[in-house]
Amino acid sequence: MSGGFPVDLILFAMVAAFLVLRLRSVLGRRTGFERPRREGPGAYDPAAQRQLPPAEAAADQPPPVVADDTRRIVPDPRSPVGQALLRIKGVEPSFDPLGFLHGAEGAFRMVVDSFAKGDRETLRMLLADDVYAGFEGEIARREAAGETQRSEVRAMQETKIEAADLRGTVADVTVRFVSDQVNLTTAKDGSIAAGHESVTELVDIWTFQRDLRSEDPTWKLVATQSA
């Protein structure tokens, strides 16, 4: 975790019901984060158009092409990390590193938003037990103190796969997020307890994990750190 934030597609303030719908579109079958079929790993072309799945897309419909300014970087297939990604693809042929980055960005935005709102239900679906315990503990402390958290991801500058590992059928993928955020904690009396109104560049490194043979398509967040 970094800044005022202790550790999607996604992108934004929504009520719990909408968050759950967005979760299914981000971490479900069509993003490449779990269940897509797209091109294999390779160098990212920033001039190329990219695909993001709409929340309403049917499972058998291709996602629309959407351009944005985020730099998404996947490792060279010949590198050690690239080789690990190829091993993951060998177990799950639909795995696509670039699609995974889209989904990871969605999960990142959703977790930031849900943590600020104290949305335990959404966090529980996205986080491993020990990570959830840390988030929930901070939410409880904030509630007891009468504090209000405001966290906004204003822009995602870069997402990059930094590490990957496969142990049996359990895959770990570590992503480096560079984002512009506003993080502000307001005390019960309305004063600023932490953070500020200005936009700050933050670097977070999150590790997602999934058993590739599991029926559950969700990659859970299992570790966080700030760079």
Side-chain angles (χ1 to χ4, degrees):
M1 306 175 202
S2 63
F5 172 57
V7 234
D8 78 11
L9 290 204
I10 318 178
L11 314 158
F12 353 114
M14 30 183 141
V15 297
F18 183 77
L19 280 170
V20 172
L21 290 175
R22 180 56 114 179
L23 171 64
R24 293 305 180 189
S25 69
V26 168
L27 303 184
R29 301 158 55 101
R30 299 303 305 169
T31 64
F33 197 44
E34 287 94 4
R35 302 284 193 199
R37 181 156 185 102
R38 300 206 186 114
E39 297 179 3
Y44 168 61
D45 178 2
Q49 290 180 309
R50 295 170 289 276
Q51 295 182 330
L52 294 173
E56 300 82 6
D60 59 348
Q61 294 297 314
V65 175
V66 177
D68 59 42
D69 295 327
T70 304
R71 297 185 301 274
R72 296 182 179 90
I73 304 171
V74 299
D76 188 305
R78 297 166 295 183
S79 68
V81 178
Q83 289 293 302
L85 294 175
L86 287 174
R87 289 195 297 274
I88 292 173
K89 189 174 180 66
V91 177
E92 182 163 324
S94 63
F95 177 78
D96 167 30
L98 186 56
F100 179 92
L101 283 178
H102 278 288
E105 179 186 336
F108 179 86
R109 290 178 178 269
M110 191 180 296
V111 170
V112 170
D113 181 74
S114 299
F115 171 73
K117 292 178 176 179
D119 181 357
R120 291 174 171 86
E121 182 179 358
T122 299
L123 292 174
R124 169 56 76 185
M125 290 188 293
L126 290 167
L127 311 180
D129 290 346
D130 54 345
V131 177
Y132 174 80
F135 275 68
E136 199 283 329
E138 177 59 21
I139 290 172
R141 183 208 63 76
R142 202 170 61 204
E143 291 173 342
E147 296 177 347
T148 301
Q149 178 74 26
R150 174 188 166 201
S151 295
E152 301 174 11
V153 178
R154 294 291 182 85
M156 186 66 69
Q157 297 184 25
E158 179 180 288
T159 59
K160 177 184 178 182
I161 295 179
E162 291 217 322
D165 189 26
L166 180 65
R167 301 176 310 284
T169 61
V170 177
D172 289 347
V173 180
T174 299
V175 180
R176 180 177 184 266
F177 300 96
V178 181
S179 62
D180 293 336
Q181 294 188 37
V182 173
N183 286 287
L184 184 66
T185 303
T186 305
K188 190 174 183 178
D189 62 3
S191 62
I192 296 177
H196 44 73
E197 292 277 0
S198 61
V199 176
T200 303
E201 179 182 293
L202 300 176
V203 179
D204 294 276
I205 299 174
W206 289 9
T207 298
F208 299 91
Q209 184 178 93
R210 178 172 175 260
D211 186 335
L212 302 178
R213 295 306 187 195
S214 171
E215 293 296 322
D216 183 356
T218 305
W219 289 77
K220 292 289 186 78
L221 179 61
V222 297
T224 68
Q225 65 177 353
S226 57

